[in-house]
Amino acid sequence: MQFLRFGNLVLTANGGVRDFEESSGYNYAEQSIATGKPILQGMGETLADVRLSVMLRKALGHDVMGCISQLQELRASGNPERLVLASGVYQGDFVIVGIVTSIVATTANGDVLSADLTLNFREYADRIVISQRNVEARPSGVKSNRKVMEK
């Protein structure tokens, strides 16, 4: 059963997923006033952070080094990917901001038999320009084309 899909990476429920944690919030600006308590003004939502813990075990059929290298490629690309949960719920576009890898066991030759990973994702939001101002771009020594009307 598919537990999570991130780009072309698929993690299954028996694929070693141990922990899934999401945090989100809302930003407020505090404004002091002279007559009493400060007031809060809502500024907008914060970006969601997702932390995922994964156990990879060669004995369970996992391609430990293949999965680690695939995750490192996704992180290094910096491209946002869709994060979809098992139920098919689209969480949004996310990027990998960090990977913590703990090698648990190796063979005598150094082949990795098991590893524990912690993946840190952050929501990716495109910047949307609501309005554009007409700005006059000119060197500082050149006179402005604007006309000033005097009363």
Coordinates of all heavy atoms in Angstrom, one line a residue, residues 89-134:
V89 N -4.7 12.4 -0.9 CA -4.9 13.8 -0.6 C -3.6 14.6 -1.0 O -2.5 14.3 -0.5 CB -5.2 14.0 0.9 CG1 -5.2 15.5 1.3 CG2 -6.4 13.3 1.3
Y90 N -3.8 15.6 -1.8 CA -2.7 16.4 -2.3 C -2.4 17.5 -1.2 O -3.2 18.3 -0.8 CB -3.1 17.1 -3.6 CG -2.2 18.2 -4.1 CD1 -0.9 17.9 -4.5 CD2 -2.6 19.5 -4.1 CE1 -0.1 18.9 -5.0 CE2 -1.8 20.5 -4.5 CZ -0.5 20.2 -5.0 OH 0.3 21.2 -5.4
Q91 N -1.2 17.4 -0.6 CA -0.8 18.3 0.5 C -0.3 19.6 -0.1 O -0.3 20.6 0.6 CB 0.3 17.6 1.3 CG -0.1 16.4 2.1 CD -1.1 16.8 3.2 OE1 -2.3 16.5 3.0 NE2 -0.6 17.4 4.2
G92 N 0.2 19.6 -1.3 CA 0.8 20.9 -1.9 C 2.1 20.6 -2.5 O 2.6 19.4 -2.5
D93 N 2.8 21.6 -3.0 CA 4.1 21.5 -3.5 C 5.1 21.8 -2.4 O 5.0 22.7 -1.6 CB 4.3 22.6 -4.6 CG 3.5 22.2 -5.9 OD1 3.1 21.1 -6.0 OD2 3.3 23.1 -6.7
F94 N 6.1 20.9 -2.3 CA 7.1 20.9 -1.2 C 8.5 20.7 -1.8 O 8.6 20.2 -2.9 CB 6.8 19.8 -0.2 CG 5.7 20.1 0.8 CD1 4.4 20.0 0.4 CD2 6.0 20.5 2.1 CE1 3.4 20.2 1.2 CE2 4.9 20.8 2.9 CZ 3.6 20.6 2.5
V95 N 9.5 21.2 -1.1 CA 10.9 20.9 -1.4 C 11.5 20.3 -0.2 O 11.0 20.4 1.0 CB 11.7 22.2 -1.7 CG1 11.2 22.8 -3.0 CG2 11.6 23.2 -0.6
I96 N 12.6 19.5 -0.4 CA 13.3 18.9 0.7 C 14.3 19.9 1.2 O 15.2 20.3 0.4 CB 14.0 17.6 0.3 CG1 13.0 16.5 -0.2 CG2 14.9 17.0 1.4 CD1 13.6 15.3 -0.7
V97 N 14.2 20.3 2.4 CA 15.2 21.3 3.0 C 16.3 20.6 3.8 O 17.3 21.3 4.1 CB 14.5 22.4 3.8 CG1 13.6 23.2 2.9 CG2 13.7 21.8 4.9
G98 N 16.1 19.4 4.1 CA 17.2 18.7 4.9 C 16.9 17.2 4.9 O 15.8 16.7 4.9
I99 N 18.0 16.4 5.0 CA 18.0 15.0 5.1 C 19.0 14.6 6.2 O 20.2 15.0 6.1 CB 18.3 14.3 3.8 CG1 17.3 14.6 2.7 CG2 18.4 12.8 4.0 CD1 17.7 14.1 1.3
V100 N 18.6 13.9 7.2 CA 19.5 13.4 8.2 C 19.6 11.9 8.0 O 18.5 11.2 8.0 CB 19.0 13.7 9.6 CG1 20.0 13.1 10.6 CG2 18.9 15.2 9.8
T101 N 20.8 11.3 7.7 CA 20.9 9.9 7.5 C 21.8 9.3 8.6 O 22.9 9.8 8.9 CB 21.7 9.7 6.1 OG1 20.9 10.4 5.1 CG2 21.8 8.2 5.8
S102 N 21.3 8.2 9.2 CA 22.0 7.5 10.2 C 22.2 6.0 9.6 O 21.2 5.3 9.5 CB 21.3 7.4 11.5 OG 21.1 8.7 12.0
I103 N 23.4 5.7 9.4 CA 23.7 4.3 8.9 C 23.7 3.4 10.2 O 24.5 3.6 11.1 CB 25.1 4.2 8.2 CG1 25.2 5.2 7.0 CG2 25.4 2.8 7.8 CD1 24.1 5.0 5.9
V104 N 22.8 2.4 10.2 CA 22.7 1.6 11.3 C 23.5 0.3 11.3 O 24.1 -0.1 12.3 CB 21.2 1.2 11.5 CG1 21.0 0.3 12.7 CG2 20.3 2.4 11.6
A105 N 23.6 -0.3 10.1 CA 24.4 -1.5 10.0 C 25.0 -1.6 8.5 O 24.4 -1.2 7.6 CB 23.5 -2.7 10.2
T106 N 26.2 -2.2 8.5 CA 26.9 -2.4 7.2 C 27.5 -3.8 7.2 O 27.6 -4.5 8.2 CB 28.0 -1.4 7.0 OG1 29.0 -1.6 8.0 CG2 27.5 0.0 7.0
T107 N 27.8 -4.3 6.0 CA 28.6 -5.5 5.9 C 30.0 -5.3 6.2 O 30.5 -4.1 6.4 CB 28.4 -6.1 4.5 OG1 29.0 -5.3 3.6 CG2 26.9 -6.3 4.1
A108 N 30.8 -6.3 6.2 CA 32.3 -6.2 6.4 C 32.9 -5.4 5.3 O 33.9 -4.8 5.5 CB 32.9 -7.6 6.6
N109 N 32.3 -5.5 4.1 CA 32.8 -4.7 2.9 C 32.4 -3.3 2.9 O 32.8 -2.5 2.0 CB 32.3 -5.4 1.6 CG 32.9 -6.8 1.5 OD1 33.9 -7.1 2.1 ND2 32.2 -7.6 0.8
G110 N 31.5 -2.9 3.8 CA 31.0 -1.5 3.8 C 29.7 -1.3 3.1 O 29.2 -0.1 3.0
D111 N 29.1 -2.3 2.6 CA 27.7 -2.2 2.0 C 26.7 -1.9 3.1 O 26.7 -2.5 4.1 CB 27.3 -3.5 1.2 CG 28.2 -3.8 0.1 OD1 28.8 -2.8 -0.5 OD2 28.4 -5.0 -0.3
V112 N 25.8 -0.9 2.8 CA 24.9 -0.5 3.8 C 23.7 -1.5 3.9 O 23.1 -1.8 2.9 CB 24.3 0.9 3.5 CG1 23.3 1.3 4.5 CG2 25.5 1.9 3.5
L113 N 23.5 -2.0 5.0 CA 22.4 -3.0 5.2 C 21.1 -2.3 5.8 O 20.0 -2.7 5.4 CB 22.8 -4.1 6.2 CG 23.9 -5.0 5.8 CD1 24.3 -6.0 6.9 CD2 23.4 -5.8 4.5
S114 N 21.3 -1.3 6.6 CA 20.1 -0.6 7.1 C 20.5 0.9 7.5 O 21.6 1.2 7.8 CB 19.6 -1.3 8.4 OG 20.5 -1.3 9.4
A115 N 19.5 1.7 7.3 CA 19.7 3.2 7.6 C 18.4 3.7 8.1 O 17.3 3.3 7.7 CB 20.2 3.9 6.3
D116 N 18.5 4.8 8.9 CA 17.4 5.5 9.4 C 17.5 6.9 8.8 O 18.6 7.5 8.9 CB 17.3 5.6 10.9 CG 17.0 4.3 11.6 OD1 16.4 3.4 10.9 OD2 17.3 4.1 12.8
L117 N 16.4 7.4 8.2 CA 16.4 8.7 7.6 C 15.4 9.6 8.2 O 14.3 9.2 8.6 CB 16.1 8.6 6.1 CG 16.9 7.7 5.3 CD1 16.4 7.6 3.9 CD2 18.3 8.3 5.2
T118 N 15.7 10.9 8.3 CA 14.7 11.9 8.7 C 14.7 12.9 7.6 O 15.7 13.5 7.3 CB 15.1 12.6 10.0 OG1 15.2 11.6 11.1 CG2 14.1 13.6 10.4
L119 N 13.5 13.1 7.0 CA 13.4 14.0 5.8 C 12.6 15.2 6.3 O 11.5 15.1 7.0 CB 12.6 13.3 4.7 CG 13.1 11.9 4.3 CD1 12.2 11.3 3.3 CD2 14.5 12.1 3.7
N120 N 13.1 16.4 6.0 CA 12.4 17.7 6.3 C 12.0 18.3 5.0 O 12.8 18.7 4.2 CB 13.4 18.6 7.1 CG 13.7 18.0 8.4 OD1 12.9 17.7 9.2 ND2 15.0 17.8 8.7
F121 N 10.7 18.5 4.9 CA 10.1 19.2 3.7 C 9.5 20.5 4.2 O 9.1 20.7 5.3 CB 8.9 18.4 3.2 CG 9.2 17.0 2.8 CD1 9.1 15.9 3.6 CD2 9.6 16.7 1.5 CE1 9.4 14.6 3.2 CE2 9.9 15.4 1.1 CZ 9.8 14.4 1.9
R122 N 9.5 21.5 3.2 CA 8.9 22.8 3.5 C 8.0 23.1 2.3 O 8.4 22.9 1.1 CB 9.9 23.9 3.7 CG 9.3 25.2 3.9 CD 10.1 26.2 4.7 NE 10.4 25.7 6.0 CZ 11.6 25.9 6.5 NH1 12.6 26.6 5.9 NH2 11.9 25.4 7.7
E123 N 6.9 23.6 2.6 CA 5.9 24.0 1.5 C 6.6 25.1 0.6 O 7.3 26.0 1.1 CB 4.7 24.6 2.2 CG 3.6 24.9 1.2 CD 2.3 25.4 1.9 OE1 2.4 25.8 3.1 OE2 1.3 25.5 1.2
Y124 N 6.3 24.9 -0.7 CA 6.8 25.8 -1.7 C 5.7 26.7 -2.2 O 4.7 26.1 -2.7 CB 7.5 25.1 -2.8 CG 8.1 25.9 -3.9 CD1 9.4 26.4 -3.8 CD2 7.3 26.3 -5.0 CE1 9.9 27.2 -4.7 CE2 7.9 27.1 -6.0 CZ 9.2 27.6 -5.9 OH 9.7 28.4 -6.8
A125 N 5.8 28.0 -2.1 CA 4.7 28.9 -2.5 C 5.3 29.8 -3.5 O 6.3 30.5 -3.2 CB 4.1 29.6 -1.4
D126 N 4.7 29.9 -4.7 CA 5.2 30.8 -5.7 C 4.8 32.2 -5.3 O 3.8 32.5 -4.7 CB 4.5 30.6 -7.1 CG 5.3 29.5 -7.9 OD1 6.5 29.3 -7.6 OD2 4.6 28.8 -8.7
R127 N 5.6 33.2 -5.7 CA 5.3 34.6 -5.4 C 4.4 35.1 -6.5 O 4.7 35.0 -7.7 CB 6.6 35.4 -5.4 CG 6.4 36.8 -5.0 CD 7.7 37.5 -4.9 NE 7.4 38.9 -4.5 CZ 8.2 39.9 -4.7 NH1 9.3 39.7 -5.3 NH2 7.9 41.1 -4.3
I128 N 3.3 35.7 -6.1 CA 2.3 36.2 -7.0 C 2.3 37.7 -6.9 O 2.1 38.3 -5.8 CB 0.9 35.7 -6.7 CG1 0.9 34.1 -6.9 CG2 -0.1 36.3 -7.7 CD1 -0.4 33.5 -6.4
V129 N 2.6 38.4 -8.0 CA 2.6 39.8 -8.0 C 1.1 40.3 -8.3 O 0.5 40.0 -9.3 CB 3.5 40.4 -9.2 CG1 3.4 41.9 -9.2 CG2 4.9 39.9 -8.9
I130 N 0.6 41.0 -7.3 CA -0.8 41.5 -7.4 C -0.9 42.7 -8.3 O -1.8 42.8 -9.1 CB -1.3 41.8 -5.9 CG1 -1.3 40.5 -5.1 CG2 -2.7 42.4 -6.0 CD1 -1.6 40.7 -3.7
S131 N 0.0 43.6 -8.1 CA 0.0 44.8 -9.0 C 1.4 45.2 -9.3 O 2.3 45.0 -8.5 CB -0.8 46.0 -8.4 OG -0.1 46.4 -7.3
Q132 N 1.5 45.8 -10.5 CA 2.9 46.3 -10.9 C 2.8 47.8 -11.0 O 1.9 48.3 -11.6 CB 3.3 45.7 -12.2 CG 3.5 44.2 -12.1 CD 4.0 43.6 -13.4 OE1 3.9 44.2 -14.4 NE2 4.4 42.3 -13.4
R133 N 3.8 48.5 -10.5 CA 3.9 49.9 -10.6 C 4.7 50.3 -11.8 O 5.7 49.6 -12.1 CB 4.5 50.5 -9.4 CG 3.7 50.3 -8.1 CD 4.4 50.8 -6.9 NE 4.7 52.3 -7.1 CZ 5.5 52.9 -6.3 NH1 6.1 52.3 -5.3 NH2 5.7 54.2 -6.5
N134 N 4.3 51.4 -12.5 CA 5.1 51.9 -13.6 C 6.3 52.7 -13.0 O 6.1 53.7 -12.3 CB 4.3 52.8 -14.5 CG 3.3 52.0 -15.3 OD1 3.5 50.8 -15.5 ND2 2.1 52.6 -15.6

